[in-house]
Amino acid sequence: MTDIKRNFIAGEWVAGPSEIENRNPSDLSDLVGTFTQASAAQLDDALEAAARAQAEWAGYALERKQAVLLAIGNEMMERAEELGTLLSREEGKPLAEGKGEVFRAGQFFTYYAHEVLRQLGENADSVRAGVEIDVRREPVGVVAIISPWNFPTATASWKIAPALAYGNAVLWKPANVTPASAVALTEIIAKQDIPAGLFNLVMGAGSEVGQRLVESPKLDAISFTGSVPVGRGIAQAAVGNFTRVQMEMGSKNALAVMDDADLDLAVTIALGGAFGGTGQKCTASSRLIVHEAVHDAFVEKLVAGAKAMKVGHALEPGTQMGPVVSEGQLTENLSWVEKGRAEGAELACGGERLSLDHDGYYMSPGVFLGTTNDMEINREEMFAPLTSVIKVGSYDEALSVVNDTRFGLVSGIATTSLARATHFRRNARTGVVTVNLPTAGTDYHVPFGGRGESSYGPREQGIHARDFYTVVKTAYISAGTPD
Ligand code: NDP
């Protein structure tokens, strides 16, 4: 009999009315598992249980809460090999990236475990004599977390860990493409010393379970990572209930390569930023803005590097780029190749579906040359192993092209000039800027987020996450006069 993985609701593992199958994108004959889908009634149960549990959790002593977060984080780090293998099997990123992601996800929990004890608030004298003021932060309440498939464990963890650390209850709706990693993380959380209902896993399609969840007036906050159209819909649903929202969405990140750059370094950065995670990253370098003086030399090395990349099964040693996550995403990627060609870009290499030993969603890394910033391939997020080169004549032109986008998550510059690096850092209109580093790859103890259509609401990660997961209370105290 098939072992059907269940939802975790109100402290119990429960089966729903239907199931989905999850297959390995590196090898479609490999069934990763069968996963239940939540019903509307189960969602309601989870919402009710969460509200009850949140009140109890908020009353836990600080060290008791901290111990829960530490235990989750430590177990994830200890089991990074095993859980990373599962993640790579269902998502398709090379094993080193899968293991690295789980380890990093564990670090989010240990980092926020320590934030539990950072309790210093503010106080003031009132303008009224004999009255004192105490300003403190309280949990926001019940939080819905809606996470994507491209970082199934890390993105969820950088939301779940602060949500719990700051005293909230969680309903987690992971992407249906990557449910195995969600169940694995939930199994670790479920065995901790937490009230029943504090943490709920509700698997199901975004358009059904997700939509019903974000429309609930019982939610206090929603944290979402995914596409712009879905994010826009969630924000509209949330505002009707005055539910707090935080969202990280798409981007069109640019890496500017200057005439004074260390070219080998610039090529390494560009290849990693464009094709890491099969280009399925909100931080991917999808626009390479290259100074004309080094354009030809850069392009020659870039194309050679892209052609040399080993595309293969995520779990096989030597694989540098795994498959695309799903049939739908691969079809979309191939349509971007056609769109690029149709609008006049030259495909210098790749951009093709590959047939390898295993039946999977393989695609070769593609480089577009001769592109302009007004082409659709340079305006819209492709989320594909595709990158475009845009030739520019000066630093000023490069900066202006970098900023000519409705997104604004990450931008990078490859330069040996301190003056340009400094000017770029201060004038690039993105939430994250990198200098001589890939646009992808960020730390856990500092804020992450963007501008424009890339982000909405308070920043994620580091201590800045507190602004989203807490509400401020101002208390006035008149102590009276001692006898
Ligand atoms: P979506 O935005 O559709 O999915 C992100 C999450 O939202 C998933 O958990 C999804 O559930 C859920 N969801 C979908 N519809 C709703 C809804 N109406 N209400 C509530 N939740 C919902 O992204 P896709 O996975 O479809 O990817 C499409 C594109 O989005 C990519 O090509 C890429 O451009 C962008 N994207 C950006 C990401 C980023 O990191 N910024 C991450 C992922 C995608 P489910 O998938 O189970 O249906």
Side-chain angles (χ1 to χ4, degrees):
M1 205 182 115
T2 324
D3 169 28
I4 298 170
K5 298 288 182 191
R6 288 169 292 169
N7 282 314
F8 187 63
I9 294 171
E12 305 286 338
W13 291 97
V14 293
S18 60
E19 293 97 37
I20 55 151
E21 280 191 348
N22 176 22
R23 290 193 177 267
N24 179 348
S26 297
D27 176 1
L28 299 177
S29 67
D30 176 22
L31 178 66
V32 179
T34 305
F35 297 84
T36 202
Q37 306 285 278
S39 68
Q42 287 171 337
L43 212 50
D44 292 343
D45 292 346
L47 280 161
E48 268 177 38
R52 280 196 305 273
Q54 192 273 323
E56 195 183 330
W57 174 246
Y60 269 37
L62 294 183
E63 287 172 339
R64 191 173 168 196
K65 270 194 283 212
Q66 185 189 39
V68 167
L69 279 118
L70 276 178
I72 298 168
N74 287 333
E75 180 165 345
M76 290 174 80
M77 290 189 277
E78 279 156 21
R79 292 174 59 198
E81 169 96 33
E82 171 209 343
L83 300 178
T85 304
L86 178 66
L87 193 163
S88 289
R89 191 175 151 214
E90 77 167 344
E91 198 273 347
K93 62 182 67 176
L95 187 53
E97 291 181 34
K99 285 193 281 193
E101 176 174 342
V102 172
F103 194 86
R104 170 53 56 89
Q107 290 175 308
F108 278 105
F109 282 94
T110 54
Y111 170 80
Y112 282 106
H114 297 296
E115 287 300 316
V116 170
L117 285 179
R118 198 186 299 278
Q119 286 288 323
L120 282 178
E122 299 162 51
N123 53 57
D125 286 335
S126 166
V127 293
R128 287 164 279 178
V131 174
E132 291 183 350
I133 298 171
D134 164 277
V135 180
R136 62 176 58 230
R137 288 180 180 263
E138 296 186 342
V140 66
V142 175
V143 181
I145 289 173
I146 302 191
S147 59
W149 45 263
N150 60 333
F151 284 93
T153 305
T155 304
S157 296
W158 78 56
K159 297 173 188 294
I160 296 167
L164 297 180
Y166 293 119
N168 303 286
V170 169
L171 272 81
W172 178 25
K173 211 253 16 115
N176 244 356
V177 179
T178 49
S181 298
V183 170
L185 173 53
T186 302
E187 283 169 351
I188 295 174
I189 298 175
K191 64 187 180 194
Q192 307 302 330
D193 165 27
I194 53 173
L198 182 77
F199 182 83
N200 304 273
L201 173 69
V202 286
M203 294 182 282
S207 55
E208 295 167 28
V209 174
Q211 184 66 34
R212 188 178 165 91
L213 180 60
V214 299
E215 285 173 1
S216 172
K218 292 184 178 160
L219 286 179
D220 298 295
I222 302 167
S223 182
F224 165 81
T225 299
S227 63
V228 173
V230 172
R232 190 169 273 125
I234 291 176
Q236 280 161 356
V239 86
N241 295 317
F242 296 117
T243 305
R244 185 181 286 201
V245 282
Q246 168 188 68
M247 31 196 62
E248 298 302 334
M249 297 165 287
S251 194
K252 204 63 208 169
N253 311 295
L255 172 69
V257 178
M258 289 297 93
D259 49 341
D260 55 46
D262 172 337
L263 264 205
D264 288 327
L265 177 68
V267 170
T268 304
I269 289 169
L271 288 170
F275 303 125
T278 320
Q280 302 167 139
K281 292 185 182 180
C282 52
T283 52
S285 312
S286 57
R287 294 183 298 149
L288 304 176
I289 297 164
V290 185
H291 195 289
E292 60 189 6
V294 291
H295 175 272
D296 293 356
F298 174 82
V299 159
E300 193 181 322
K301 286 171 188 264
L302 179 79
V303 171
K307 283 182 177 166
M309 278 189 96
K310 183 165 172 6
V311 179
H313 191 298
L315 301 182
E316 279 174 5
T319 292
Q320 291 173 298
M321 197 179 93
V324 172
V325 75
S326 65
E327 180 86 57
Q329 195 71 36
L330 179 57
T331 306
E332 174 89 13
N333 295 356
L334 296 173
S335 78
W336 277 114
V337 173
E338 289 319 308
K339 268 184 215 160
R341 280 194 170 122
E343 55 188 352
E346 176 203 340
L347 187 67
C349 64
E352 290 170 336
R353 182 166 194 167
L354 298 175
S355 290
L356 303 182
D357 292 347
H358 307 280
D359 180 18
Y361 304 126
Y362 297 104
M363 177 175 175
S364 49
V367 177
F368 283 120
L369 301 180
T371 77
T372 54
N373 201 45
D374 57 357
M375 289 179 177
E376 222 188 321
I377 52 168
N378 288 326
R379 309 304 302 176
E380 302 297 328
E381 181 172 60
M382 296 189 281
F383 233 54
L386 295 169
T387 191
S388 305
V389 175
I390 304 171
K391 196 197 280 190
V392 291
S394 65
Y395 165 76
D396 287 343
E397 190 188 349
L399 179 62
S400 122
V401 174
V402 166
N403 286 337
D404 179 10
T405 169
R406 64 183 203 280
F407 298 107
L409 189 55
V410 191
S411 57
I413 187 167
T415 181
T416 51
S417 156
L418 176 63
R420 282 174 170 174
T422 305
H423 187 271
F424 187 85
R425 205 156 49 76
R426 298 181 76 115
N427 291 282
R429 290 178 50 81
T430 50
V432 179
V433 181
T434 64
V435 177
N436 294 322
L437 288 166
T439 54
T442 54
D443 286 0
Y444 54 92
H445 62 305
V446 289
F448 174 72
R451 302 169 68 146
E453 291 193 15
S454 291
S455 296
Y456 186 68
R459 286 282 184 264
E460 301 201 76
Q461 303 184 23
I463 192 138
H464 285 66
R466 195 176 63 160
D467 292 339
F468 179 71
Y469 292 103
T470 62
V471 285
V472 172
K473 177 179 276 177
T474 310
Y476 294 85
I477 309 116
S478 172
T481 315
D483 296 335

